[in-house]
């Protein structure tokens, strides 16, 4: 049984994702497609548009995704390198033969070349990062600029190329495959048959209509609760304004210079948009700020992150699957522990805390509680 | 200028408070009455019915209270002994000559007698507390039962007698005076001309009518936002369900046996009432649980409480005053620093965090922010 893995967010699953999965299936001659999907909060520190079980079901409903496994919180709300590392590790552990990703580039060779160059390990890279930092850039921006300057084989200013690069860096046994992204770019807000997830969410916020999704996926999402930062701002504001500075700086991503800025921003801003405008600087990108706020909302301290053994993934957790996905799980079980119901695994306890932080401001805790949720099976009921 | 102090909550100021202040003024021959009032959260761990500035104004509006000073958070949400200690210390520091309190007893002699006995310092007391604890009582209940058994001169099962006892224990230079409480008891819910604050709040919850208040006080409170624990439960629940147990036990009042119980309660209870029913036991009284929840909501850790120098009150803060109160402040300024606008004093930074925790769930942060609030002066505008 030949599995191809896709590392994804599906926030939500749209026509572009469908297209990518189809091409991946054809070109890698896969028997089935496994998506490794981030759960409750996204890589850029945003609350998921809809809860992870619904998003996973919507992906499987499209007919092109056979199994959705959860990318744990510790990997999902992280910089691209760790996000990629987590996804690739899971893909290799379950025995996927290929990893397919969408990219602006569309050709795998530059990724393999760039990865083999290991530019981040050169003295030139260190020098450029230092320069960037002394020019007031954030460490993330300084790193990406340094990297871009040295990497001439691949355009690393685009988000999907960057992720692909880190997939290539992380891969050891898996074969890599990329499809050229079609339709709108990542941040593009135009409306059409293939829209970006950002455009779909923005369009939904304005019109309360879901567009650009496969019909079956849209049906699953109809009636779901859609989250935005506006739901979380009172909770984040409460934390910021009631927590002593010395405690605030214990949360991951909040340092001694950021903490008072966040508190000031919370004092003066009654909406999340005002707050972001207040706190954003060249040094702190929107993404790094959003991640810090999610760490605060989910009570995630630096100490906790530092103690996580990121190279010790010892389980996978299915969120949704069809008949073929169920067969695949039987095969995967021989390689690694599959957790289908809640267990007191430290990473699942974390997922339950993270999902609670997501669900309570939506008044949906009782529906989304991890202890009561199982993977969704869409298919024939015979075993 | 002869000042009589009253330690109070005025949650809200009612006819019984008016009566007590009148009698106190007559019997202590006071030129003016100073109330030392707890601010945002009450001694029993409850959110104030209305914000402290409005409550203070309502007291002054009655005509019987000339000046309201804030009892800092560190003293107000505390067991009776510390609450009393804070209030008495402030009363003595501002140079009040008498302290008047309402009691079920109505005669000052038993209080002075009981206080001079120092029963809590006897071996018999220690033995009784130990016995109570081994019978599964909370430390608060065990202490109060032991105390009651030894103190035969005063009935210490009633809340106001207990507070009075601690006033007598804390007093060094001030003269004590008590008035017998008339009308309904503390917890009594009957409706009449003199109702307890509990009855007034319950009656308001049912009918949205304020009764049992002096007309002028009721006018000030009309249109105020009234808080109950229902406003705070989503925020408390979010904290409980998203915080690792090891971090939860760092909050004041949450020990290693209580923390998992609170988390379980939050999982299964979608309303605050259900939650309290779930978590209450003989060991954890409603009051001690409420205080723990307020410490969590206000990010108050045990370490923080342990580092507070409770015997170093170095300021007083007026919340409301009339002409006579303003004169008194001139006199008080000679004894102790009077802080009328916000300063970065550590205890005021705490007040601002506590008030933010109170205000955000009510969507009233912009109106209640400490930095923008001054004491309310009702009187002639000439200096």
């Amino acid at each position: 049984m030949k599995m191809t893995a896709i590392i994804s967010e599906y926030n939500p699953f749209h026509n572009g994702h469908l297209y990518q999965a189809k091409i991946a299936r054809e070109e890698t001659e896969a028997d089935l497609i496994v998506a490794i999907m981030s759960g409750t909060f996204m890589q850029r520190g945003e609350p998921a548009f809809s809860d992870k079980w619904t998003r996973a079901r919507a992906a499987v409903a499209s007919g092109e995704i056979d199994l959705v496994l959860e990318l744990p919180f510790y990997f999902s709300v992280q910089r691209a390198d760790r996000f990629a590392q987590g996804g690739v590790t899971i893909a290799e552990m379950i025995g996927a033969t290929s990893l397919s990703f969408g990219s602006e580039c569309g050709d795998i060779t530059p990724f393999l070349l760039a990865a083999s160059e290991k530019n981040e390990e050169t003295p030139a890279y260190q020098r450029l990062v230092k320069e960037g930092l002394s020019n007031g850039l954030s460490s993330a921006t300084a790193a990406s600029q340094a990297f871009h300057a040295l990497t001439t084989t691949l355009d690393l200013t685009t988000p999907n190329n960057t992720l692909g690069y880190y997939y290539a860096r992380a891969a050891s046994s898996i074969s890599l495959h990329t499809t050229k992204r079609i339709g709108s770019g990542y941040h593009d807000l135009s409306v059409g048959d293939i829209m970006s997830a950002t455009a779909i969410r923005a369009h939904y916020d304005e019109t309360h209509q879901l567009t650009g999704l496969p019909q079956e996926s849209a049906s699953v999402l109809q009636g779901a609760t859609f989250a935005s930062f506006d739901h979380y701002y009172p909770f984040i504001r409460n934390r910021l304004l009631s927590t002593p500075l010395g405690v605030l700086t214990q949360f991951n991503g909040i340092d001694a210079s950021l903490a008072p800025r966040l508190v000031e921003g919370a004092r003066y801003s009654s909406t999340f948009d005002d707050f972001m405008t207040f706190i954003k600087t060249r040094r702190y990108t929107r993404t790094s700020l959003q991640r810090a706020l999610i760490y605060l909302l989910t009570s995630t301290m630096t100490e906790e992150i530092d103690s996580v053994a990121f190279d010790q993934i010892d389980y996978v957790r299915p969120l949704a699957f069809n008949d073929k996905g169920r067969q695949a799980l039987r095969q995967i079980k021989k390689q690694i522990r599959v957790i289908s119901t809640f267990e007191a695994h430290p990473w699942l306890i974390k997922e339950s805390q993270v999902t609670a932080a997501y669900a309570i401001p939506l008044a949906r805790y009782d529906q989304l509680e991890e202890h009561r949720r199982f993977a969704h099976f869409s298919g024939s009921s015979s075993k």
Side-chain angles (χ1 to χ4, degrees), chain A residues 6-10 14 16-17 20 43-44 80 83-84 100-108 111 154-168 177-188 196-198:
Chain A
I6 293 173
I7 299 166
S8 64
E9 304 214 298
Y10 293 161
H14 57 54
H17 295 132
Q20 192 232 335
Q43 198 240 330
R44 291 187 296 154
F83 177 89
S100 173
F101 58 94
S103 63
E104 290 82 1
C105 164
D107 172 11
I108 201 67
F111 290 96
L154 186 64
D155 178 4
L156 288 172
T157 58
T158 61
N160 288 287
N161 279 359
T162 304
L163 273 173
Y165 167 81
Y166 286 113
Y167 296 148
H177 178 265
T178 189
T179 51
K180 193 170 172 62
R181 283 177 64 92
I182 56 165
S184 316
Y186 192 57
H187 295 293
D188 194 327
S196 71
T198 308

Side-chain angles (χ1 to χ4, degrees), chain A residues 10-37:
Chain A
Y10 293 161
N11 189 39
F13 187 89
H14 57 54
N15 289 332
H17 295 132
L18 183 77
Y19 168 84
Q20 192 232 335
K22 269 188 185 162
I23 302 287
R25 190 184 288 265
E26 284 167 26
E27 297 192 353
T28 64
E29 296 172 354
D31 295 312
L32 92 170
I33 304 281
V34 181
I36 298 158
M37 186 188 88

Side-chain angles (χ1 to χ4, degrees), chain A residues 101-122:
Chain A
F101 58 94
S103 63
E104 290 82 1
C105 164
D107 172 11
I108 201 67
T109 317
F111 290 96
L112 300 175
L113 262 173
S116 69
E117 282 172 8
K118 301 190 181 176
N119 278 326
E120 318 94 297
E121 293 167 22
T122 60

Side-chain angles (χ1 to χ4, degrees), chain A residues 266-377:
Chain A
R267 278 188 56 212
Y268 291 111
S269 316
S270 52
T271 68
F272 184 72
D273 283 347
D274 288 354
F275 176 65
M276 283 307 288
T277 306
F278 187 103
I279 61 175
K280 247 185 82 180
T281 61
R282 263 183 93 210
R283 183 167 158 69
Y284 297 107
T285 60
R286 188 178 180 96
T287 298
S288 67
L289 291 168
Q290 287 181 167
R291 282 193 206 121
L293 298 175
I294 294 307
Y295 289 132
L296 178 66
L297 182 73
T298 59
S299 300
T300 307
M301 298 196 161
T302 311
E303 199 184 70
E304 178 185 345
I305 292 287
D306 288 348
S307 72
V308 172
F310 284 99
D311 55 351
Q312 283 169 29
I313 303 182
D314 58 4
Y315 74 95
V316 290
R317 188 186 194 201
L319 294 174
F321 51 89
N322 59 19
D323 274 316
K324 260 197 263 179
R326 190 164 63 173
Q327 286 174 52
L329 280 171
R330 289 204 193 106
Q331 184 175 318
I332 290 168
K333 267 178 197 154
K334 294 172 193 160
Q335 319 287 325
I336 187 167
R337 186 148 64 115
V338 173
I339 301 186
S340 299
T341 59
F342 186 84
E343 281 181 30
H345 185 291
W347 291 21
L348 287 195
I349 290 173
K350 184 66 186 179
E351 297 301 336
S352 75
Q353 291 167 345
V354 163
T355 302
Y358 174 83
I360 288 171
L362 304 175
R364 288 207 65 212
Y365 179 72
D366 296 333
Q367 294 87 54
L368 297 182
E369 203 205 16
E370 300 273 341
H371 296 65
R372 301 173 199 175
R373 297 297 303 229
F374 308 94
H376 181 83
F377 171 57

Side-chain angles (χ1 to χ4, degrees), chain A residues 243-271:
Chain A
T243 306
L245 285 179
V247 177
L248 270 186
T249 53
Q250 294 174 27
F251 290 95
N252 197 43
I254 303 183
D255 62 22
S257 77
L258 181 56
R261 188 169 183 85
L262 293 177
V263 173
E264 280 287 281
R267 278 188 56 212
Y268 291 111
S269 316
S270 52
T271 68

